[in-house]
């Protein structure tokens, strides 16, 4: 654990927006026995910090990034328990190397295994949810270890029960258990992926992995972002109907019975915001759902840009955008938030 006293500890390396902010203490448990004590001191719980926007200097933060290890529970299946701090992409590559399949389309997503479950990460037609067996961790409120079966985790589109106020920052996920498949059944439903997978290599999981990685590298900035900043809005059939009356060209796709997703990237792009900049924060020119720190952005620049995008999209299309990134209030605003 680092604890730098009154000056705090830089958070620069512990999150991906690359902001010059500090935390009062960075708690880094190296195994589960250190988790209860660290949790009792922490205000926020993070993984690799690839999906947070700190709005300034933060109160104590616990990162699970040093909890490491894999354990095979059942060889048939297989069923595997993974420590929360394992890097997501390393886990995906490990699976492919073992001949365990299902996660190939989730290649190269930044972040840790524990955080992946909190957000139910998804990309290119695949999401984590169907592979989840359970989550294990320390519940600060009741001071007990708990195993939460997949059904109780309530995974939805970029959502889980761990985002609800009674779980958020109260439950330290230390392990995530997965059930994978020994059979490779490539998911090629996403047009970008289908177009780029070589027909003769369709049955090679590494080829699918590399294809997805290449698409991501082209669209997403290498540093200074937290991936998609907003969620794609989910509309009911009647809301979509009303939007189509006004904007017949808006793209949409099904999102469960009676619901439709509209790409936020399209709404932002067609509102003319690609490349829009406030200070050193920018709407990414290749993927406008991503906000990026071009180098010297402050938390205020990014937050002002996020609000500007929300307001512009609301005015232009009448649709509210909800952040996908977790916005962490700063120390100076704690009083007004508590
Ligand atoms: N689009 C535009 N202009 C652009 C880019 C995209 O109009 O400049 C429109 C197009 O209609 C395109 C659509 O937006 O078809 C969707 O774009 P894209 O395929 O890039 O995906 P996305 O919906 O913007 C989501 C996830 C990404 C994930 C990709 C691929 C969310 C919030 N984001 O983005 O996840 O990688 O699909 O499956 O659901 C993340 O969560 O951090 C993330 C990067």
């Amino acid at each position: 654990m680092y604890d730098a006293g009154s000056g705090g500890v830089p958070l620069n390396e512990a999150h991906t927006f690359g902001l010059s902010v500090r935390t009062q203490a960075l708690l880094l448990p190296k195994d589960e026995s250190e988790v209860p004590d660290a949790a009792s001191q922490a205000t926020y719980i993070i993984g690799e910090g690839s999906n947070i926007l700190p709005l300034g200097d933060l109160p104590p933060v616990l990162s699970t990034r040093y909890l490491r290890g894999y354990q095979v529970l059942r060889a048939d299946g297989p069923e595997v328990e993974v420590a929360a701090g394992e890097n997501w992409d390393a886990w995906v590559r490990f699976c492919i190397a073992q001949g365990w399949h299902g996660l190939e389309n989730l290649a190269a997503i930044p972040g840790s295994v524990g955080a992946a479950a909190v957000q139910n990460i998804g990309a290119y037609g695949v999401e984590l949810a169907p592979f989840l067996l359970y989550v294990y961790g320390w519940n600060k409120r009741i001071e007990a270890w708990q195993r939460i079966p997949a059904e109780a985790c309530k995974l939805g589109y970029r959502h889980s029960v761990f985002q609800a106020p009674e779980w958020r920052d109260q439950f330290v996920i230390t392990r995530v258990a997965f059930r994978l498949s020994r059979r490779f059944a490539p998911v090629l439903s996403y047009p970008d992926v289908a177009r780029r997978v070589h027909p003769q290599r369709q049955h090679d999981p590494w080829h699918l992995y590399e294809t997805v990685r290449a698409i991501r590298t082209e669209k997403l900035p290498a540093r200074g972002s937290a991936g998609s900043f907003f969620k794609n809005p989910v509309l009911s059939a009647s809301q979509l109907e009303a939007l189509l009356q006004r904007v017949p060209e808006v793209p949409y796709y099904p999102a469960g019975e009676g619901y439709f997703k509209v790409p936020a990237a399209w709404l932002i792009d067609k509102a003319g915001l690609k490349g829009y900049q406030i200070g050193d924060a920018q709407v990414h020119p290749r993927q406008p759902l991503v906000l990026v720190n071009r180098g010297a952005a402050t938390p205020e620049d990014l937050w002002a840009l996020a609000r500007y995008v929300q307001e512009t999209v609301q005015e232009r299309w009448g649709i509210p955008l909800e952040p996908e990134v977790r916005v962490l209030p700063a120390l100076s605003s704690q009083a007004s938030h508590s």
Side-chain angles (χ1 to χ4, degrees), residues 51 119 122-125 157-158 190 192 216 219-220 226-228 230-232 251 253 263 265-266 269-270 274 285-289 324:
N51 202 47
Q119 297 178 255
Y124 306 104
Y157 169 56
R158 293 296 192 281
Y190 211 85
D192 270 1
R216 292 187 73 89
K219 282 195 179 171
L220 300 168
S228 301
F230 301 102
K231 293 185 190 183
N232 287 323
Y253 43 99
W266 190 93
D269 183 354
K270 299 298 184 273
K274 254 185 175 171
R286 283 196 303 279
Q287 205 337 337
L289 195 49
E324 195 270 319

Side-chain angles (χ1 to χ4, degrees), residues 298-319:
T298 61
E300 291 76 19
D301 292 341
L302 276 158
W303 192 223
L305 184 64
R307 279 181 318 189
Y308 183 78
V309 170
Q310 284 175 314
E311 282 159 20
T312 309
V313 165
Q314 178 73 49
E315 265 169 38
R316 177 75 196 266
W317 312 110
I319 296 184

